[in-house]
Amino acid sequence: MAQGKNGPPNTNPLIGGLTKNTLALVLTGESTGRLGPLTARRVKPAVPFGGKFRIIDFCLSNCINSGIRRVGVITQDRARSLIRHIQLGWGFQSGDFSGFIELLPAQQQFSDGRPLGTADAIRQNLDVLRIHQPRHCLILSGDHIYKMDYAQMLAEHALSQADATVACLEVPINEATAGGVLTVNREGRVTSFAVKPAAPAPVPERPDRALADLGIYVFNADFLQRQLVRDAQTPHSGHDLAGDVIPHAVSLHRVMAHRFAHSCIRSDGANRVPYWRDLGTVDAYWGANRDLVEVIPELNLYDGRWPIWTHQEQLPPAKFVFAHDDRWGMAVNSLVSGGCIVSGATVRRSLLFSNVRVEGARTLVEDSVILPDVRVDHDARLRRAVVDTGTSIPPGLVVGEDPEEDARRFYRTPGGTVLITPAMLG
């Protein structure tokens, strides 16, 4: 059953019928290197986030909470950890209830070996649409952090009699050059769609704002199939959904814009700013995680009306030991996950993912994001660091105090975040 904008179940029969007749396809993309060494071994949707989740958990949870129970996850490059996560954490969808979360590997049955664009990746799996025969197809990018009721977007799509609908968000115009930008008329119909424009078109009467494409689309299923086949036969096409298929559809068909503010989940009241994040850089990744330790973070992970689901490991509770004059095991203004042990050390304004150990009276972890299965040994000091899974920080290592030394040994961003991986420490 679909849920309303603020969490309670939505009993609107129109919405219930729409979600039952919708198939969601999640694009996981290729490892592009935008997150540096964090995506050397995994695709971006598989990167851990928020102390216990993966990035892809957010769009999958939105599907379940919205009442959309038929989901295909299209994998391409470096997908091993993503596949394992889906198998372990999302296997509760039973075919007995007409629900599934199915992994769809890149088949390349129509490809000549060139890298697949997003439209081509979907076209490779057109058999899935033919088998399940949905009325609508919801296309999602699996690498963004947000809470959204897709059922509201589906209802708006159906009522407007659109061929396709594009979710969008008002952003500062100087930030709109990184992705797709829409222009719309008074009806809300998209009149133009440009990817990475040098001069983004402003929102009417808001010269400082532009409508940014969020990578969330609703298509009539038969319309989508026709457009994918047409695009595949078009010479010189990049076979990309945002770069080729949608601009062509805008010029000839009825494509509508859906404002993200109409369907985002505002857990703490209607006045909160809509939360949507593209963790496109290590600085953005660090910042989005670090924001979660604030007293009232912009993203509420504690809202039981719109939960974020994930693979839940069976781990013991977090443990803090020693309370002597010179040795206090403590964490303040921090998130600490199961299986962690803080032994005599100090953790401030940081996230510790599962099975992290921080040891030593003079050991300090501050303003840092520590991914699963990391050990921080005696006398180490970490400030503004991201430590990748399985890293063992040696005794006495100091990070975040000498920019030149950090850049020489590790991956240091322009914003001053230091990323450490096991390979960097040998």
Side-chain angles (χ1 to χ4, degrees):
M1 181 180 293
Q3 298 191 17
K5 190 179 298 186
N6 292 311
N10 194 322
T11 56
N12 187 326
L14 169 65
I15 290 180
L18 288 171
T19 57
K20 288 179 181 178
N21 286 286
T22 296
L23 172 69
L25 293 176
V26 181
L27 296 164
T28 60
E30 299 179 282
S31 296
T32 61
R34 296 181 67 206
L35 279 178
L38 273 179
T39 50
R41 298 177 296 164
R42 54 167 87 91
V43 287
K44 185 177 169 185
V47 172
F49 179 83
K52 63 183 295 184
F53 308 102
R54 304 287 184 113
I55 293 175
I56 197 172
D57 290 330
F58 285 81
C59 72
L60 294 180
S61 295
N62 289 336
C63 286
I64 299 302
N65 294 334
S66 300
I68 298 169
R69 302 301 173 91
R70 297 190 294 172
V71 183
V73 179
I74 300 177
T75 63
Q76 288 181 245
D77 182 36
R78 303 183 187 182
R80 185 186 64 82
S81 64
L82 177 66
I83 290 171
R84 178 173 171 77
H85 176 70
I86 299 295
Q87 290 172 334
L88 291 174
W90 291 92
F92 60 85
Q93 283 283 80
S94 172
D96 295 338
F97 298 96
S98 300
F100 58 83
I101 293 181
E102 183 178 357
L103 289 161
L104 305 173
Q107 301 177 54
Q108 296 186 336
Q109 56 183 328
F110 308 117
S111 177
D112 60 3
R114 292 176 298 176
L116 299 177
T118 52
D120 201 22
I122 298 170
R123 186 177 68 97
Q124 300 284 345
N125 291 281
L126 279 182
D127 283 348
V128 177
L129 272 70
R130 297 186 182 113
I131 291 170
H132 297 291
Q133 298 184 334
R135 184 180 306 163
H136 298 105
C137 190
L138 174 67
I139 308 295
L140 306 169
S141 297
D143 55 2
H144 302 138
I145 303 292
Y146 63 101
K147 290 184 175 184
M148 177 180 178
D149 186 353
Y150 300 136
Q152 302 296 326
M153 183 176 177
L154 279 164
E156 194 172 293
H157 171 85
L159 291 172
S160 67
Q161 298 182 323
D163 296 304
T165 298
V166 180
C168 58
L169 176 68
E170 283 193 22
V171 300
I173 198 164
N174 62 328
E175 297 177 10
T177 57
V181 176
L182 298 69
T183 54
V184 299
N185 61 18
R186 292 182 178 273
E187 182 192 10
R189 183 169 179 172
V190 182
T191 56
S192 69
F193 187 98
V195 177
K196 298 182 179 180
V203 176
E205 302 178 359
R206 294 292 305 274
D208 62 328
R209 310 287 287 183
L211 286 178
D213 166 35
L214 299 184
I216 304 167
Y217 314 112
V218 173
F219 287 88
N220 296 336
D222 55 351
F223 175 76
L224 176 62
Q225 292 184 62
R226 292 197 302 271
Q227 293 306 307
L228 293 176
V229 171
R230 178 205 56 77
D231 177 73
Q233 298 169 348
T234 302
H236 311 300
S237 172
H239 308 304
D240 186 72
L241 207 59
D244 302 287
V245 173
I246 291 176
H248 178 271
V250 165
S251 65
L252 297 174
H253 303 281
R254 186 172 174 81
V255 179
M256 302 297 290
H258 172 79
R259 300 299 182 103
F260 178 62
H262 296 171
S263 54
C264 66
I265 304 302
R266 303 173 190 264
S267 302
D268 297 307
N271 294 326
R272 296 296 296 273
V273 174
Y275 185 95
W276 184 92
R277 295 289 186 274
D278 178 7
L279 310 184
T281 65
V282 173
D283 283 326
Y285 175 79
W286 173 86
N289 277 282
R290 170 63 178 73
D291 285 346
L292 296 175
V293 309
E294 298 297 330
V295 176
I296 304 178
E298 292 186 61
L299 175 65
N300 184 3
L301 296 177
Y302 296 87
D303 182 8
R305 296 171 299 173
W306 198 271
I308 303 301
W309 308 88
T310 190
H311 169 50
Q312 191 79 279
E313 290 187 84
Q314 298 301 315
L315 297 171
K319 184 177 182 180
F320 305 84
V321 294
F322 295 110
H324 302 156
D325 290 341
D326 61 345
R327 191 177 185 187
W328 287 80
M330 64 179 184
V332 292
N333 294 336
S334 298
L335 296 181
V336 181
S337 299
C340 291
I341 298 177
V342 179
S343 176
T346 300
V347 177
R348 297 194 187 107
R349 299 183 303 275
S350 297
L351 280 81
L352 304 188
F353 285 67
S354 305
N355 286 327
V356 172
R357 298 202 173 194
V358 186
E359 301 181 349
R362 291 179 294 275
T363 302
L364 173 67
V365 175
E366 191 172 76
D367 295 311
S368 294
V369 180
I370 314 298
L371 273 57
D373 304 314
V374 168
R375 181 186 178 99
V376 183
D377 218 326
H378 293 266
D379 301 319
R381 296 198 305 273
L382 304 179
R383 290 186 170 92
R384 193 169 174 136
V386 176
V387 184
D388 201 1
T389 303
T391 302
S392 182
I393 300 296
L397 181 68
V398 177
V399 172
E401 298 180 12
D402 185 335
E404 291 185 2
E405 182 67 8
D406 290 339
R408 184 182 68 82
R409 295 179 298 175
F410 306 117
Y411 181 95
R412 188 178 188 278
T413 71
T417 304
V418 181
L419 172 60
I420 307 170
T421 68
M424 295 174 186
L425 292 170

